[in-house]
Amino acid sequence: MNGKAAISTKASRTSNLRIGFLLADGFTLSALSLFIDALRLAGDEGDRSRQVRCEWRILSFRPDPIRSSAGLTIEPTASLIDPTSFDYIVVVGGLLHIKEQMSRAGLSYLQECAEAGVPVVGVCTGSFILARAGLMAGRRSCVSWFHCDDFAAEFPDHDVDADRLFIDDGDRITCAGGGGVADLAAHLIRRHLDATAAQKSMHILQLQSARLGSDAQPHSMPAISDDSRVRRAILLMEQSVSRPMTVDAIALRLKISSRQLERLFRRATGASPASIYRQIRLRHARQLLLLTEKSVTDIAVETGFCDAGHFARQFRAFFGEAPRRARAARDDAASAA
């Protein structure tokens, strides 16, 4: 994909599935490659990789290479051509904390796509870019549990869902990223080609049969129950670390009573939902202590504790050491290395 390519002006109308990719600055290379490889393998006979039944372009308003989060660059293969040349425009997000993920020209192009009725897709942190373009108001945005708090902080009036792999809302599709990108690609291939082509691409990629968009995202808490209600409750807890939900609110989201939720957790874990929730927040806090330079007070706030003193007491009771001691041990290990 790094080969020099001329900027074309239009896409073919003969393929069953035509996709234009719009890449963020610092985009996730794996998300792009998984999506394109699924198209490549589904779109031709054998392993010849011709763009026959599937067609794709890398779009940009300028011909300069686009840098991925891994440091590798991709050169565009088409300008921001008429969006109606495509069945979908897929925005591949990536690093959030850079100066500008998407240019004004890119955001304007997405608005043009929406006005033309062309479905727009956000994968990885592409959902952030769609929201910045004003395209997700009144819609649910699917994001990774890892970035759920970031999305809620930037778009407090938007509905965010970190409980599934992707959401297909017709002309808006959002995907949490990771391996779920292959599942989304298979979903679109099945729709525009057939189930056999979708299955072929997944099997050659050494993946299991494609998961549904409603399937739960893998998450940071070890699996502790086969009960889907307990697993989804834990996902809700993980995506609401900084603004803890009440047990009543979680039960309401799951359409069960608080008493039933308590019983399910006791049976699956031997602990109450509130206790498991506290463990999730403390584990997240410990990761922040070990991986960032944020102050103990800031971490206490970020993980939903009322003050640093309360946080420190809970941390010591669970991990057997004070937060500052955990960080000091990290620094000592780094100095000795």
Side-chain angles (χ1 to χ4, degrees), residues 275-291:
S275 177
I276 295 297
Y277 206 166
R278 186 166 53 251
Q279 291 180 32
I280 289 169
R281 291 157 56 207
L282 288 167
R283 286 192 172 98
H284 182 61
R286 190 169 190 273
Q287 288 294 98
L288 293 174
L289 279 167
L290 299 179
L291 299 177

Side-chain angles (χ1 to χ4, degrees), residues 3-47:
K4 194 74 176 177
I7 300 293
S8 62
T9 57
K10 62 181 181 179
S12 164
R13 300 292 303 185
T14 59
S15 300
N16 297 69
L17 177 57
R18 298 153 298 147
I19 292 183
F21 288 95
L22 198 60
L23 309 183
D25 185 21
F27 71 93
T28 303
L29 193 62
S30 60
L32 175 66
S33 59
L34 262 179
F35 211 129
I36 288 182
D37 262 349
L39 298 174
R40 175 181 70 84
L41 294 167
D44 194 14
E45 297 291 335
D47 192 30

Side-chain angles (χ1 to χ4, degrees), residues 83-96:
T84 60
S85 299
F86 301 101
D87 297 300
Y88 303 91
I89 298 296
V90 175
V91 181
V92 183
L95 296 175
L96 280 180

Side-chain angles (χ1 to χ4, degrees), residues 224-272:
I224 59 176
S225 174
D226 292 331
D227 193 301
S228 62
R229 294 163 295 184
V230 173
R231 293 200 305 271
R232 291 193 179 275
I234 289 172
L235 286 170
L236 286 171
M237 294 172 183
E238 288 183 325
Q239 71 187 49
S240 306
V241 168
S242 61
R243 290 173 298 280
M245 302 172 66
T246 64
V247 172
D248 287 346
I250 294 172
L252 185 63
R253 287 282 296 272
L254 298 176
K255 297 181 173 61
I256 60 177
S257 69
S258 300
R259 184 172 298 179
Q260 185 178 5
L261 184 62
E262 290 275 353
R263 286 198 301 267
L264 291 171
F265 266 78
R266 293 284 181 186
R267 186 182 307 141
T269 72
S272 68

Side-chain angles (χ1 to χ4, degrees), residues 136-151:
M136 296 307 297
R139 310 284 190 120
R140 284 187 305 154
S141 297
C142 181
V143 302
S144 165
W145 61 266
F146 189 76
H147 291 302
C148 181
D149 284 344
D150 295 307
F151 191 93

Side-chain angles (χ1 to χ4, degrees), residues 23-326:
L23 309 183
D25 185 21
F27 71 93
T28 303
L29 193 62
S30 60
L32 175 66
S33 59
L34 262 179
F35 211 129
I36 288 182
D37 262 349
L39 298 174
R40 175 181 70 84
L41 294 167
D44 194 14
E45 297 291 335
D47 192 30
R48 286 179 284 181
S49 298
R50 298 172 302 175
Q51 295 193 34
V52 179
R53 300 180 72 193
C54 297
E55 184 178 356
W56 58 92
R57 299 281 187 274
I58 307 296
L59 308 177
S60 180
F61 73 102
R62 59 186 182 187
D64 303 327
I66 308 164
R67 185 181 179 86
S68 71
S69 59
L72 302 178
T73 59
I74 298 293
E75 295 191 5
T77 60
S79 58
L80 299 182
I81 59 181
D82 182 356
T84 60
S85 299
F86 301 101
D87 297 300
Y88 303 91
I89 298 296
V90 175
V91 181
V92 183
L95 296 175
L96 280 180
H97 305 296
I98 56 178
K99 184 176 181 181
E100 185 181 62
Q101 274 193 300
M102 182 64 60
S103 66
R104 288 186 179 181
L107 295 177
S108 296
Y109 182 69
L110 289 173
Q111 292 164 353
E112 181 185 341
C113 295
E115 291 170 2
V118 177
V120 291
V121 182
V123 301
C124 194
T125 60
S127 53
F128 285 74
I129 295 171
L130 298 189
R132 289 173 192 148
L135 303 182
M136 296 307 297
R139 310 284 190 120
R140 284 187 305 154
S141 297
C142 181
V143 302
S144 165
W145 61 266
F146 189 76
H147 291 302
C148 181
D149 284 344
D150 295 307
F151 191 93
E154 185 171 350
F155 308 104
D157 57 340
H158 282 49
D159 188 6
V160 59
D161 192 327
D163 190 25
R164 56 184 63 210
L165 297 176
F166 62 86
I167 296 174
D168 185 347
D169 195 19
D171 58 351
R172 302 286 189 279
I173 303 174
T174 48
C175 174
V181 174
D183 299 297
L184 172 57
H187 171 72
L188 298 180
I189 290 165
R190 186 183 303 109
R191 173 183 293 167
H192 289 268
L193 277 66
D194 51 55
T196 300
Q199 185 178 41
K200 172 195 170 188
S201 66
M202 295 293 282
H203 284 183
I204 295 177
L205 288 170
Q206 299 292 307
L207 299 172
Q208 298 292 335
S209 297
R211 295 169 292 179
L212 300 175
S214 57
D215 283 357
Q217 293 179 29
H219 51 88
S220 60
M221 185 78 173
I224 59 176
S225 174
D226 292 331
D227 193 301
S228 62
R229 294 163 295 184
V230 173
R231 293 200 305 271
R232 291 193 179 275
I234 289 172
L235 286 170
L236 286 171
M237 294 172 183
E238 288 183 325
Q239 71 187 49
S240 306
V241 168
S242 61
R243 290 173 298 280
M245 302 172 66
T246 64
V247 172
D248 287 346
I250 294 172
L252 185 63
R253 287 282 296 272
L254 298 176
K255 297 181 173 61
I256 60 177
S257 69
S258 300
R259 184 172 298 179
Q260 185 178 5
L261 184 62
E262 290 275 353
R263 286 198 301 267
L264 291 171
F265 266 78
R266 293 284 181 186
R267 186 182 307 141
T269 72
S272 68
S275 177
I276 295 297
Y277 206 166
R278 186 166 53 251
Q279 291 180 32
I280 289 169
R281 291 157 56 207
L282 288 167
R283 286 192 172 98
H284 182 61
R286 190 169 190 273
Q287 288 294 98
L288 293 174
L289 279 167
L290 299 179
L291 299 177
T292 76
E293 299 303 324
K294 293 180 178 181
S295 70
V296 171
T297 298
D298 286 344
I299 290 173
V301 171
E302 188 168 333
T303 51
F305 291 91
C306 57
D307 57 58
H310 177 61
F311 165 63
R313 289 191 294 275
Q314 293 289 333
F315 190 95
R316 187 183 296 108
F318 187 67
F319 291 110
E321 61 180 352
R324 296 186 191 281
R325 180 57 205 151

